[in-house]
Amino acid sequence: MSNNVLYIRDEGQGRPIVLVHGWSCPGQFFQAQMEALGSRARCIVPDLPGHGKTADRVPMTIEAAADELHAYLADQELNEIILCGWSMGALVAYSMLERYGSNRFSAVVVLDMSPKVLNTPDWQNGTLSGLTPELNDHFLDAIVADWKKLPSRIARRLYAEHLDPAPHLLEFARLEIARADPALLRPMWASLTRQDFRETLKTLELPFHLVAGLQSQLYGPGVHRWHEENVPDFHLHRFEKSGHAPQLEEPARFNELLLRLIDP
């Protein structure tokens, strides 16, 4: 591997599916999908900049992540790709589509994400916590300063608000997040909160599947309605027992959705 490429796990045989993880939650958060789909699909799972084995070898921006991931897909000459992005990973997927077009892809799957994370006077479908640019400045300062407290808080917020997550899932998330370097996570958070892909999604030329955790602590029904009203070929999948991480909370059902797209 050169000093300026993403670390990518590329395993399995069949239709290519790209699984792009969220902030502070590296590629291991798609392990259940790699195990379930490997006999039917070629699973391509990057560690994004600032995360996992990629660490600081790629600039810590959404755009750099999109450039490096697309370069890998082009180098492998892959087409008819199912592009799946979870949380921040959805923004990387949108950036890749915006910068390089949709010709290599056959469908987009997004797990519990808004096209714009920050709430502003013209946009109230960012985080349910009401994160504004001003509040975000305070959080950016806290990522490094308060890191010891954050992994357990972030881990709990991944899961359904009114259900107790399985202890092993909670501990898995906490341990993986705690391994991260907050000094690298900070610029990635700054980059993801600068993004606004509303106009990109309004002209998307691919089938778009939103996997909505109905007990999400991060994004609510307003996000679902906005997509229904604005994304051309839109399909909503409601996961009643999930929060922000349906691939972990209801993996069998999520895997079935991906399998239907892999082999329609």
Side-chain angles (χ1 to χ4, degrees):
M1 178 180 294
S2 75
N3 290 327
N4 195 39
V5 295
L6 297 174
Y7 174 81
I8 294 177
R9 296 166 69 189
D10 187 336
E11 302 175 9
Q13 302 289 328
R15 181 86 171 272
I17 180 166
V18 178
L19 300 159
V20 193
H21 67 77
W23 185 79
S24 77
C25 301
Q28 288 93 322
F29 281 74
F30 281 115
Q31 183 63 36
Q33 284 63 55
M34 297 188 76
E35 293 174 358
L37 306 177
S39 64
R40 303 266 296 276
R42 180 176 173 180
C43 297
I44 298 164
V45 184
D47 281 348
L48 295 178
H51 294 74
K53 294 183 179 180
T54 295
D56 62 354
R57 288 184 288 195
V58 176
M60 262 73 75
T61 67
I62 297 298
E63 294 83 1
D67 290 344
E68 292 289 353
L69 182 53
H70 188 269
Y72 181 83
L73 301 177
D75 181 69
Q76 296 291 308
E77 299 182 346
L78 295 176
N79 291 290
E80 291 298 308
I81 301 165
I82 297 166
L83 180 58
C84 177
W86 170 42
S87 196
M88 177 181 70
L91 303 184
V92 173
Y94 301 156
S95 181
M96 188 161 53
L97 293 168
E98 186 176 82
R99 294 158 82 82
Y100 298 100
S102 59
N103 289 344
R104 289 191 180 276
F105 305 99
S106 62
V108 178
V109 180
V110 166
L111 291 94
D112 196 56
M113 190 52 174
S114 169
K116 184 175 187 285
V117 170
L118 296 185
N119 293 279
T120 54
D122 72 328
W123 179 251
Q124 295 300 306
N125 291 319
T127 64
L128 289 172
S129 64
L131 191 66
T132 62
E134 296 75 22
L135 292 172
N136 193 46
D137 288 340
H138 293 293
F139 180 67
L140 282 165
D141 291 338
I143 289 172
V144 175
D146 297 338
W147 182 245
K148 289 183 179 180
K149 304 174 185 176
L150 291 180
S152 59
R153 296 178 186 176
I154 296 168
R156 183 60 190 91
R157 285 173 62 79
L158 291 181
Y159 299 115
E161 184 170 18
H162 300 299
L163 294 174
D164 290 329
H168 76 279
L169 286 180
L170 192 60
E171 185 66 359
F172 161 75
R174 186 189 69 80
L175 288 173
E176 287 295 335
I177 294 167
R179 290 191 180 102
D181 181 346
L184 302 183
L185 294 182
R186 186 185 188 281
M188 281 304 285
W189 182 265
S191 180
L192 80 90
T193 52
R194 287 194 296 267
Q195 307 299 322
D196 181 353
F197 288 105
R198 286 177 289 178
E199 294 306 314
T200 298
L201 295 188
K202 289 178 182 179
T203 59
L204 189 66
E205 297 178 345
L206 295 170
F208 185 103
H209 298 264
L210 179 63
V211 176
L214 297 189
Q215 296 198 51
S216 175
Q217 299 185 61
L218 276 76
Y219 302 104
V223 173
H224 314 157
R225 287 193 298 271
W226 183 89
H227 283 86
E228 287 180 314
E229 294 169 359
N230 289 281
V231 180
D233 189 355
F234 178 71
H235 309 265
L236 180 63
H237 306 272
R238 297 178 174 88
F239 279 57
E240 293 82 3
K241 298 178 181 179
S242 290
H244 188 56
Q247 83 278 22
L248 297 173
E249 297 168 280
E250 296 181 73
R253 185 179 169 203
F254 179 65
N255 295 343
E256 287 173 8
L257 168 61
L258 295 183
L259 286 168
R260 289 198 300 274
L261 295 175
I262 290 165
D263 188 14

